[in-house]
Amino acid sequence: MSALTSTLKVMFRRPASGGVPIGLFVLILVALVFVAILAPLIAPYDPNTQNLLGRLKPPGTEARGVYYLLGSDELGRDLLSRAIYGARVSLAVAVLSVLLSGAVGITLGMLASYLGGWVEVVVMRLVDIFLSIPAILLAIIMVAVLGPGFVNVVLVLALTRWPRYARVAYGQTLAVSSQPFVRLATAMGAGPFHVLFLHILPNIIAPLAVVATLEFGLMILFEAGLSFLGMGVQPPTASWGAMLSVGRNYVSSAWWIATFPGLCLFLLVLSVNLLGDRLSEYLNPKSR
């Protein structure tokens, strides 16, 4: 309990250089997560219900008994409801892709470092190849091959970003594997997987958690970018990126279509990145 209390104090205290404490952005992140989880209960209307007589209505107007708090889009759908359900899509893609890419990258990185030999050569050369290609370009190519859709976007993002975890896990495992407790476990007959996942992984989880936090925000942006290009989650499913793509055609006449999804995307990514930065400072003893 005392450790949790000290962590919360670090998160919510005002930075020494002034400015807004990170706790505010943590609250924003928590609020967006709850909105995504409780979307069916919070959204005032069905996000896919069309009302052509209420199309392109500005915020605070009403048409055919539907009150558009944040306005409506080109098909008369409630923008607030679609933004709420868009949070569910963005967070679901980010969580699943981070978990999948982290599991693959951490496992391969630790195996390459601990086993060495041809395993190290093959894994690390694959890491170099993947990192030499721009991530968004690689994601677009893979989506073009596999096709758009929720599941394919998760798989593509996971296959694109696993080298980041592999490189960090590789370096951290090299440093920890020479420690006495690892050599003792090996001398007592523990197998490679026992040593890696019961002795090494708990001691390298902190830097990997920082990487996962920063990658989480990047996955949100990647999903939005793919949906903006029409290669992500397909209509009529609500997605912030797809809403931004539609909104660019109505910037001069219906500014709200792109503004509110863009603001949600900005706040979510900013909150995650600031949380990752603060987590990195907290877990790094040299920065204290």
Side-chain angles (χ1 to χ4, degrees):
M1 184 64 68
S2 60
L4 177 61
T5 303
S6 61
T7 302
L8 291 175
K9 288 181 179 179
V10 172
M11 289 295 182
F12 282 84
R13 71 184 180 189
R14 184 176 296 274
S17 57
V20 181
I22 192 65
L24 174 62
F25 294 98
V26 174
L27 293 177
I28 293 175
L29 177 60
V30 172
L32 289 173
V33 170
F34 272 100
V35 165
I37 295 174
L38 303 176
L41 302 177
I42 296 177
Y45 306 104
D46 187 327
N48 299 325
T49 300
Q50 300 180 12
N51 180 12
L52 296 181
L53 294 180
R55 63 189 301 270
L56 302 179
K57 292 293 184 180
T61 58
E62 184 178 355
R64 295 184 60 186
V66 179
Y67 181 73
Y68 298 111
L69 181 63
L70 298 184
S72 63
D73 63 7
E74 81 285 5
L75 297 177
R77 296 173 296 191
D78 180 46
L79 199 65
L80 174 60
S81 300
R82 291 187 64 78
I84 290 174
Y85 274 85
R88 167 174 283 194
V89 171
S90 295
L91 288 171
V93 170
V95 169
L96 293 175
S97 58
V98 165
L99 290 176
L100 186 55
S101 60
V104 174
I106 293 171
T107 302
L108 291 178
M110 290 196 303
L111 286 174
S113 177
Y114 188 78
L115 298 179
W118 66 269
V119 177
E120 178 183 8
V121 173
V122 171
V123 171
M124 298 316 295
R125 294 300 75 76
L126 282 175
V127 169
D128 293 337
I129 292 172
F130 272 84
L131 292 180
S132 66
I133 306 174
I136 188 63
L137 176 61
L138 183 59
I140 291 174
I141 294 173
M142 296 179 70
V143 169
V145 173
L146 298 177
F150 180 87
V151 175
N152 286 347
V153 168
V154 172
L155 292 176
V156 164
L157 294 180
L159 293 174
T160 302
R161 302 305 299 174
W162 69 267
R164 286 288 304 276
Y165 298 93
R167 175 161 286 184
V168 175
Y170 175 82
Q172 294 294 321
T173 303
L174 279 179
V176 175
S177 59
S178 60
Q179 296 296 319
F181 66 90
V182 176
R183 295 201 301 268
L184 178 60
T186 304
M188 294 179 65
F193 285 94
H194 181 90
V195 173
L196 287 174
F197 293 102
L198 294 183
H199 296 281
I200 294 180
L201 181 59
N203 289 278
I204 66 172
I205 198 65
L208 292 173
V210 174
V211 173
T213 305
L214 298 177
E215 284 289 305
F216 188 85
L218 193 59
M219 294 300 97
I220 295 172
L221 288 178
F222 274 14
E223 184 278 326
L226 291 174
S227 297
F228 183 87
L229 297 174
M231 305 179 72
V233 179
Q234 295 299 289
T237 303
S239 170
W240 289 343
M243 295 168 69
L244 287 172
S245 180
V246 171
R248 65 176 174 172
N249 299 321
Y250 300 94
V251 172
S252 59
S253 58
W255 54 268
W256 53 89
I257 298 179
T259 300
F260 292 117
L263 182 61
C264 293
L265 189 63
F266 165 75
L267 289 175
L268 179 56
V269 175
L270 179 63
S271 301
V272 172
N273 287 344
L274 289 178
L275 180 61
D277 291 340
R278 181 58 63 88
L279 184 62
S280 177
E281 294 176 3
Y282 180 73
L283 294 176
N284 185 9
K286 296 182 181 178
S287 63
R288 299 180 187 178

